[in-house]
Amino acid sequence: MNILFVCSEVFPLIKTGGLADVSYSLPRALADLGHQVTVVLPGYRSVRARLGEPDQRRSLPDDFLRSDIRVAEYASSPVGVPLLLVESDSLFDRDGGPYERSSGDPWPDNADRFAQFCRAVVSWVVAAEQAGAGYQVVHCNDWQTGLIPALLSLHESAVKTLFTIHNLAYQGVFDYATFQHLQLPDTWWHLDALEFYGNLSFLKAGIVFADWVTTVSPTYADEILREPAACGMGGLLQHHQNKLVGILNGADYEIWNPQTDDHILFHFDRDSLEQKLKNKLDLQRISGLRLSKSAPLIGLVSRLVEQKGIDWVVSAMTATQEHKVQWVILGSGTPHYEQQLLELAQANPKTVSVTIGYDEELAHRIEAGSDLFAMPSRYEPCGLNQIYSLRYGTLPIVRRTGGLADTVVNVDELSLEQGTATGFVFEEPAAAAFTDTVLRAIAMYSRRKTWQRIQQTAMAQCFDWQHSAQSYLELYQQDHQQDHQQE
Ligand code: ADP
Ligand code: GLC
């Protein structure tokens, strides 16, 4: 098949979270299965600087597009498959993040930026189809691409659309004046189209108009039908349930593999866990913590936002201080959480290390050197770090929600007996439940033999992309939504 994969971030060019990892790995997995895949991304300044001059630049025939919009084509790129950039000096050539200024405030023209991006992609797709060398499917990701299925429906096109929700809480909501400004068809200001409680929602556009809607784990696909995970969209998703599918993300084991990881000092596998211990000492050293083989070391790498249960982590750090436990934390996000964490680190320099910022290498060293990985998310569409942690024998502590529930098997009597335990899972969305689970994990840590057995089971888990890519292909190949309904 010929597939166009549309996203707003992709590793290693631009990344704020797991979407970038997925946008790197899934297209490659599809290409490995023999398909033609092209990734398309906005031409952010930093990305253009990194890539240099394209093989070709083309303008697009669309009256609704800004005059400075071009599509730059790269036959090869660090993404590993052919890449297109939608360039516009006025929209994308600026310092700061893909969605926000450096100060953390969203770009005030985000609606315009991503609406123009969507229009450009649709114009490109339609032109390719008319030239007879078109795509069979356009795979869209998150609200930034939500207008694509809607805009494509205005054309006589046979191209199918699949829309993946990576996080339902980010809905691309703008007011009515913005809807008018974007010059979208008036008929779309309707409950059955883009209107969402008196506003415009890009995410809703994707859900309503795409042939298929997927999300990134089976459990999350079920959770979003109801509150609180539904974020106001439960009714809409129930209405479209016949085209909603949960497909678990994979991990890229070329990048996240303790046997080959370039970022860590000591490579290891299931049979050489003593090397992992050396990584632990290295992590303690670079983090300024007391060197100790026996103190349980808990790592965390995350966006520091409410979703991730950072307030529960702060509580647990305080509540477990007498237990010789150490914490290494890397992340950035809400200033309030950053501040609280930094204060804890200042007060406990030998047991708590906090790095505010984004650091690829440190993320790998935390995965390799920690004994446990904290991921007590309130909700988690899939989550990638717990999957990476499993491969590094770093037992995850997670809440039973979304993709965390689908990837971690709780340590209990039965799972220990059956040899299936891989981590520590709790149910209740509360600080005390997380703290209790940290204490439970610490207690288990002193049972060395059992601990090693759990590590080995965790490291043997395989959540690679091949299987999930196959599931996407099956959807791409189903004729359209009605066919599915008739099954
Ligand atoms: P989300 O997409 O909700 O942020 P995921 O677990 O799916 O959560 O993916 C997060 C990705 O971003 C992982 O690859 C993780 O290692 C990476 N990451 C998050 N914060 C940082 C950071 N501060 N430094 C380096 N990598 C980070
Ligand atoms: C989102 C979700 C995360 C998921 C990632 C990639 O950012 O919060 O759970 O793993 O997208 O799909």
Side-chain angles (χ1 to χ4, degrees), residues 134-203:
Y135 306 95
Q136 273 102 48
V137 63
V138 181
H139 186 151
C140 307
N141 294 277
D142 274 352
W143 75 261
Q144 293 84 356
T145 65
L147 290 185
I148 291 172
L151 291 165
L152 195 59
S153 76
L154 300 174
H155 296 268
E156 296 251 326
S157 168
V159 181
K160 286 199 292 177
T161 51
L162 184 145
F163 182 66
T164 299
I165 302 168
H166 294 264
N167 192 334
L168 192 68
Y170 297 84
Q171 303 184 339
V173 172
F174 303 95
D175 61 12
Y176 181 59
T178 308
F179 175 79
Q180 287 177 308
H181 168 76
L182 296 180
Q183 296 182 284
L184 299 168
D186 286 341
T187 52
W188 285 358
W189 191 257
H190 191 277
L191 182 69
D192 295 331
L194 276 57
E195 190 263 334
F196 182 61
Y197 296 109
N199 283 306
L200 152 70
S201 163
F202 277 47
L203 191 86

Side-chain angles (χ1 to χ4, degrees), residues 178-253:
T178 308
F179 175 79
Q180 287 177 308
H181 168 76
L182 296 180
Q183 296 182 284
L184 299 168
D186 286 341
T187 52
W188 285 358
W189 191 257
H190 191 277
L191 182 69
D192 295 331
L194 276 57
E195 190 263 334
F196 182 61
Y197 296 109
N199 283 306
L200 152 70
S201 163
F202 277 47
L203 191 86
K204 183 172 176 182
I207 293 170
V208 170
F209 283 92
D211 294 300
W212 290 104
V213 177
T214 68
T215 188
V216 289
S217 70
T219 294
Y220 191 61
D222 179 56
E223 288 172 345
I224 57 177
L225 299 173
R226 295 172 297 280
E227 295 301 330
C231 302
M233 293 211 168
L236 174 76
L237 288 164
Q238 282 170 29
H239 182 71
H240 292 285
Q241 205 175 342
N242 63 314
K243 62 172 183 179
L244 175 66
V245 182
I247 300 176
L248 194 70
N249 286 335
D252 197 316
Y253 291 125

Side-chain angles (χ1 to χ4, degrees), residues 258 268-274 276 371 389-396 411 416 419-423 448-462:
F268 61 99
D269 62 17
R270 266 178 280 173
D271 301 319
S272 54
L273 282 168
E274 69 288 350
K276 180 171 170 65
D371 299 303
S389 299
L390 290 170
R391 183 48 64 100
Y392 284 72
T394 302
L395 305 187
V411 170
L416 282 179
T420 53
T422 59
R448 296 309 304 161
K449 276 241 162 65
T450 311
W451 187 268
Q452 266 197 13
R453 209 152 28 88
I454 306 170
Q455 281 182 304
Q456 285 166 339
T457 308
M459 294 174 83
Q461 303 303 305
C462 185

